[in-house]
Structures are given as structure tokens and as C-alpha cells.
Amino acid sequence: MGGGGQQTESSEPAKCDGVGPGGGRGGSAVYTWEEVQKHCHRGDQWLVIDRKVYNITQWAKRHPGGIRVISHFAGEDATDAFSAFHPDPNFVRKFLKPLLIGELAPTEPSHDHGKNAALVQDFQALRDRVEREGLLRARPLFFCLYLGHILLLEALALGLLWVWGTSWSLTLLCSLMLATSQSQAGWLQHDYGHLSVCKKSSWNHILQKFVIGHLKGASANWWNHRHFQHHAKPNVFSKDPDVNSLHVFVLGDKQPVEYGIKKLKYMPYQHQHQYFFLIGPPLLIPVYFHIQILRTMFLESHWFVWVTQMNHLPMEIDHERHQDWLTMQLSATCNIEQSTFNDWFSGHLNFQIEHHLFPTMPRHNYHLVAPLVRALCEKHGVPYQVKTLQKGMTDVVRSLKKSGDLWLDAYLHK
């Protein structure tokens, strides 16, 4: 992942004034997009931020967000991703200075692969407005109360067992209470992981480790390593680990046909929408994640799978298409209707579109930016999907059936 090719010969112009493989001195050179895009391999990686060209080959190994998430943008414009993931870009730019090797030639467009310049500019203007209006600032009381209700459920469940023992009925009740608290803790650690709660990144990291590590028994680093890749390239094969189904499912419209043509049949994929109920929700966390994080709960797995997949699985799943940030995120995400229950049940991930566009935004502000995002999408003809909770869940099964049918047709006839 993040580029599996061999190192290529540098196309760097002679006037780079002694630029080394790990960064640059002076950064006086100019480059075309064609030159930048050649440096997209594991041992040779450049990217562009605000028209500046950076050699990240060595830095990628030390990148706090993980080597893969930054490598996914090798050879590309990473301006919007850079802004989305870093709440304090001025601080991060200090680490970019030694990596600067030049800039795009004046005749080159600011965006690669023929992206819609007007759409990109309008989205950047929207982000500037979001920042000016304070929509990236969190309300501490909201998150304190949220953590409080999780701790209360945990304490209440353990207290019931302590006082009244472990009868079947009481054990079932406490299991439901703990599944609820653990699911809500999952949404809360997700907030901290995106640095969307505290002003200081260090406090977000500490609180995330407390919630996911001490309340849930999982690794914050493991979660962030997976989840940041998902946000960087959602629903992109080989780059988004959430669509790496380990041959158990075929997803989208492209993968089923590819498997069918190659006569790959690890599972009876034409029935995947049926065996999903036996494999997906009940086993993702206690089996697949269990291998990685060692322990968690069965009931929470059902909750987690339905909430996370209803926004993504029915959407477009494809190979890399080099889309602009807004189009890429909107093609891979949809929203679920707002209600008090839906907000709580999903940890506000019913606003998946807004969360993906602004991953550091505190969740209580999603509903404020949603009308602005919808208006921008309408202006540029980008589909903005909102579903009921029931439709979101049924679409998971419907999309699996469609992909299974595509695989069967390709397997038998192509």
C-alpha cells in the first residue's frame, strides 16, 4: 500500500542546487506535474501542497500519521488533505521546510489530473468560512457530558453485578448496558483521534488513549493507522483498509467483475448479501479486529458495523481516480437523516459527509456546516445523498447483493 513500485530515476532538473534524497536546500527549482507524478513509488515520493513541491521520501517513515496515509498522496496535490488533517497547519509547516525542493512551474495548473479548479477553489473558500465562523472549535461541556454518560453506564453495569450477582437476566441487562457504553466510547475516541475536541493535540492524544486503551482495551495507534488511511482515500482499493475484505466479500461494481473474469471464487459471492449477516456484523470486531487488538465485545460489533458501513458500502468503491477532495469524499460517503436518536446512536456519523470533508471539526457543529456543503454540491452538480436510517442499513445488503450478482455474471460469462 502507498506505492509498491521500485525507485525510479529522478527527473529533477539540474538547477535544484544540491537537493538531496531526503529533502531540499533552497527549493528554487520548478517542476511540471508530469515530473512530480513520476515520484510516486515506495522509495521515491514527492507531493505538492499549495503549489510547493516536497520530497517526502525519508520523512514518510517518521510521519506521525503513519507512512501509508502520506504515501497515498505521492505524486499528487495534497493541499486539501493537508488542511483537513492538521488543525494547526502553521506548526506542521516547520517540518515541511527541510523537505521543500521547489514549486510548480507558473504555467502549470494548481491541481493535478485535470481536477475541477472552480470546485476546488469554492471548497477552499468554504473551509476558510468554516474557520472564520469558529465551526472547528469544540464545546468542552458537550464532550465532558458525553464522557460522563459513558462512565456512568460502565459504573452502573458493574454496580448491578456487584450488588445483585450474575443471574441470566441481570447478565443480559448489563451486557446491553456495556455494549452501549463501549459503542459510545468508540465514537468518543474517534473524536479525540481526529484532534477535534481539545486545542492542544497532546491532550487529544492522551484522552484518546484513555478512552480506547483503558475503557475499550484497544490501541489508539492501531486505530489511527487504519482510520487516517480511510479518510485520506475513502473507498479506494489498496488504499482504504476498510474496503480490504480479505476475499470474503467483493465490493462495488468493479471488483466483482475483476474477480469474475479471473475466475476467483474464495466464497459464493452471489450469496454474500445473505452470509453478511453471519460474518459481517457479528464477527468483524470479535474475530477480525480481535486478531489485532486482542479483545472487545460481540454486541458492540453489530452496532459498529451497521453504523460505519451504511455510509460507505453502498457508495462508489473503485481504484484510484485522482479526484478532488470534495468529489472524492462525496462519491464515497452519504448522510443519514438527523434526529436526536440518530445523532446519539451513530456518534454523529450520520453526518458522514461533513465529517469526511472536515475531519477535525467537532461533531456538534456538523449540522451547522451541512447546509453550506449541500449548497456547494448543488452549485457544482455533485450528488449529496441523505437517507433514512432504515434505508442506510438495507442499502448495505442491497449493495452486497448487486456486487455478488456482478461477480457471478463475470465468473460465468466473461
Side-chain angles (χ1 to χ4, degrees):
M1 300 175 76
Q6 301 296 318
Q7 183 170 351
T8 60
E9 294 184 2
S10 175
S11 60
E12 190 176 314
K15 60 180 179 180
C16 277
D17 298 327
V19 177
R25 294 196 300 272
S28 59
V30 294
Y31 301 95
T32 65
W33 274 115
E34 182 180 1
E35 291 170 327
V36 172
Q37 289 165 2
K38 292 178 181 178
H39 299 267
C40 62
H41 305 285
R42 188 182 301 275
D44 180 19
Q45 299 181 340
W46 296 3
L47 55 73
V48 176
I49 299 174
D50 291 326
R51 297 189 63 85
K52 302 293 184 182
V53 181
Y54 299 91
N55 184 340
I56 63 165
T57 305
Q58 298 301 321
W59 167 248
K61 303 172 185 177
R62 307 191 302 274
H63 182 234
I67 186 173
R68 290 181 176 175
V69 67
I70 191 171
S71 296
H72 290 339
F73 287 93
E76 300 181 19
D77 176 53
T79 303
D80 286 331
F82 177 82
S83 300
F85 286 123
H86 302 105
D88 187 0
N90 291 328
F91 173 78
V92 181
R93 289 184 191 280
K94 294 188 297 184
F95 298 93
L96 288 177
K97 287 183 179 179
L99 312 180
L100 179 66
I101 60 174
E103 60 184 26
L104 292 174
T107 55
E108 290 292 298
S110 296
H111 314 292
D112 58 318
H113 293 92
K115 295 173 182 173
N116 185 332
L119 189 155
V120 173
Q121 291 170 3
D122 282 351
F123 175 72
Q124 291 175 346
L126 173 60
R127 181 173 180 86
D128 291 341
R129 178 178 176 180
V130 163
E131 292 177 349
R132 288 196 309 271
E133 296 183 2
L135 296 180
L136 297 180
R137 292 197 297 268
R139 298 200 304 268
L141 180 60
F142 175 91
F143 292 100
C144 287
L145 292 175
Y146 205 91
L147 177 59
H149 104 285
I150 293 169
L151 296 175
L152 179 62
L153 283 170
E154 295 267 332
L156 186 58
L158 296 176
L160 289 174
L161 292 176
W162 180 270
V163 174
W164 282 292
T166 55
S167 65
W168 279 106
S169 59
L170 201 59
T171 298
L172 177 59
L173 174 62
C174 291
S175 296
L176 292 172
M177 294 173 64
L178 288 173
T180 300
S181 66
Q182 288 290 296
S183 293
Q184 294 299 323
W187 309 142
L188 183 59
Q189 71 83 22
H190 172 261
D191 295 317
Y192 292 127
H194 278 293
L195 311 179
S196 63
V197 181
C198 304
K199 291 183 178 179
K200 292 187 176 181
S201 296
S202 58
W203 278 104
N204 283 296
H205 292 314
I206 291 171
L207 288 167
Q208 184 194 21
K209 290 177 179 178
F210 167 72
V211 175
I212 192 173
H214 294 278
L215 296 184
K216 295 184 63 61
S219 165
N221 290 335
W222 163 81
W223 174 266
N224 292 338
H225 176 69
R226 287 179 55 90
H227 195 61
F228 293 164
Q229 292 182 76
H230 163 69
H231 271 269
K233 295 287 185 176
N235 284 15
V236 175
F237 290 122
S238 82
K239 294 187 176 182
D240 180 359
D242 286 4
V243 295
N244 176 19
S245 55
L246 302 176
H247 305 305
V248 177
F249 301 100
V250 288
L251 306 176
D253 293 346
K254 299 290 180 62
Q255 188 184 55
V257 176
E258 292 173 357
Y259 271 46
I261 292 174
K262 295 176 182 178
K263 309 305 178 187
L264 298 178
K265 187 180 182 182
Y266 299 97
M267 298 285 286
Y269 297 121
Q270 69 272 31
H271 301 298
Q272 64 177 9
H273 61 293
Q274 297 170 323
Y275 67 70
F276 170 77
F277 291 94
L278 300 176
I279 295 178
L283 299 184
L284 178 70
I285 289 182
V287 175
Y288 179 53
F289 282 5
H290 180 81
I291 297 172
Q292 303 175 35
I293 63 175
L294 299 182
R295 67 184 178 89
T296 188
M297 292 188 67
F298 175 85
L299 291 175
E300 180 197 354
S301 186
H302 285 268
W303 195 328
F304 174 83
V305 170
W306 286 112
V307 168
T308 56
Q309 296 309 306
M310 65 185 179
N311 301 100
H312 291 299
L313 203 61
M315 305 300 290
E316 293 182 24
I317 303 176
D318 205 341
H319 299 284
E320 178 65 77
R321 290 183 291 171
H322 303 290
Q323 297 171 304
D324 63 84
W325 183 256
L326 184 137
T327 302
M328 177 178 66
Q329 302 295 346
L330 268 291
S331 68
T333 56
C334 67
N335 280 3
I336 301 299
E337 289 180 347
Q338 183 187 22
S339 70
T340 301
F341 174 80
N342 286 353
D343 291 351
W344 174 84
F345 179 75
S346 67
H348 288 83
L349 293 182
N350 49 329
F351 288 97
Q352 191 73 240
I353 291 173
E354 287 68 31
H355 170 60
H356 264 256
L357 291 176
F358 307 102
T360 62
M361 179 179 288
R363 63 161 94 167
H364 51 66
N365 287 338
Y366 292 157
H367 74 284
L368 298 177
V369 76
L372 304 178
V373 173
R374 185 191 288 266
L376 178 59
C377 290
E378 290 177 353
K379 177 180 178 180
H380 291 278
V382 178
Y384 182 104
Q385 294 192 41
V386 182
K387 303 177 181 179
T388 64
L389 181 63
Q390 180 181 1
K391 180 172 174 53
M393 292 183 173
T394 57
D395 278 355
V396 170
V397 181
R398 186 178 295 112
S399 67
L400 287 171
K401 183 179 187 308
K402 177 184 177 184
S403 297
D405 291 342
L406 287 170
W407 168 82
L408 182 61
D409 179 69
Y411 185 85
L412 295 176
H413 307 298
K414 295 184 180 180

